[in-house]
Amino acid sequence: MPIDTVLSTDNFVDWNQLPESAIQVPTKDGFRFCVWEFLMHPLAISVNANLKDIRKIPVRLKISTGNYILQTHKASFSKNNYISPTCKLCGKADETVEHFILLCEKLEETRIPLLSKILDNGSLILAKVATSFPIDLIQLIINPFCYVDINANRAVFEETSNILEPLCRQLLYNMHNKRYALLANIDKQGSRKSNF
């Protein structure tokens, strides 16, 4: 099968004829097919067999595939507009992926230390790759592999796997945990008020 057919989302794709290494990769506009040398996307692989790293994979995959439930998702499924898309933590904007990762003030304390490491390491690693398009910070955090071609520069791919990707995974996992801890406190406070 020609690579153009595999990479095109406009064509009807017969899943049975795709090579085993063809997988869907999330992009801003939806999914795109990519062919990798290995069977799993690098986001789903842990560099080491550390159980702590392996536990972070599901959060990362939910965010990268658009299955992480934020207020905007809940509101879009609400039949009677009962659920607001506004962030429950800060109450200042709709809780989108961009807001969750970069803008929510309540998550700033969790975000800043790792985000500065991601920016420092990401700029050093991606400076080795010739890109003609601007680098989107959200895309870099969600999927740092989208800027690296394994066939063009194996060393940069390895640096991304060993340095940048674990930092991005840690950031998303820490923010997920902080978000749920804050939401649990908000729910607890709400239930106390309703008991009086």
Side-chain angles (χ1 to χ4, degrees):
M1 171 178 285
I3 193 73
D4 294 343
T5 304
V6 174
L7 294 176
S8 172
T9 56
D10 299 330
N11 299 332
F12 173 77
V13 177
D14 183 3
W15 289 95
N16 295 326
Q17 292 187 9
L18 285 176
E20 285 185 28
S21 58
I23 59 170
Q24 287 185 331
V25 177
T27 64
K28 275 190 143 182
D29 302 325
F31 283 90
R32 189 184 86 193
F33 293 99
C34 278
V35 178
W36 294 85
E37 293 182 352
F38 30 80
L39 296 177
M40 253 190 258
H41 191 280
L43 288 178
I45 299 171
S46 179
V47 175
N48 56 38
N50 184 345
L51 189 57
K52 287 183 180 179
D53 284 344
I54 293 170
R55 285 186 184 142
K56 297 172 189 167
I57 293 172
V59 172
R60 177 59 163 296
L61 291 177
K62 284 180 183 180
I63 292 171
S64 65
T65 58
N67 292 316
Y68 191 78
I69 303 296
L70 297 165
Q71 282 302 112
T72 53
H73 293 107
K74 288 179 183 179
S76 69
F77 291 113
S78 177
K79 292 181 182 178
N80 55 6
N81 295 333
Y82 178 70
I83 298 174
S84 169
T86 305
C87 177
K88 285 185 171 183
L89 303 179
C90 69
K92 294 189 176 184
D94 288 356
E95 189 182 36
T96 61
V97 173
E98 292 83 6
H99 177 79
F100 168 62
I101 294 174
L102 295 177
L103 303 173
C104 185
E105 294 173 1
K106 299 290 185 176
L107 298 172
E108 196 166 305
E109 185 179 304
T110 304
R111 176 187 316 115
I112 289 179
L114 281 169
L115 188 59
S116 64
K117 289 180 182 179
I118 290 169
L119 291 172
D120 292 343
N121 288 298
S123 60
L124 292 173
I125 292 169
L126 296 177
K128 300 173 186 174
V129 179
T131 60
S132 60
F133 51 91
I135 294 178
D136 180 15
L137 184 57
I138 293 289
Q139 185 67 35
L140 177 69
I141 293 169
I142 292 174
N143 181 10
F145 295 103
C146 70
Y147 295 107
V148 179
D149 183 4
I150 189 171
N151 298 318
N153 195 333
R154 182 73 178 190
V156 172
F157 183 84
E158 292 297 326
E159 283 185 71
T160 303
S161 294
N162 296 326
I163 299 169
L164 189 57
E165 199 283 327
L167 288 171
C168 295
R169 183 180 289 172
Q170 183 69 48
L171 173 69
L172 294 174
Y173 187 74
N174 289 357
M175 292 181 60
H176 162 78
N177 285 338
K178 181 68 171 183
R179 177 179 180 262
Y180 273 90
L182 291 171
L183 287 173
N185 285 340
I186 290 170
D187 289 343
K188 210 182 284 184
Q189 290 172 355
S191 66
R192 283 186 201 152
K193 288 179 183 176
S194 64
N195 290 337
F196 290 112

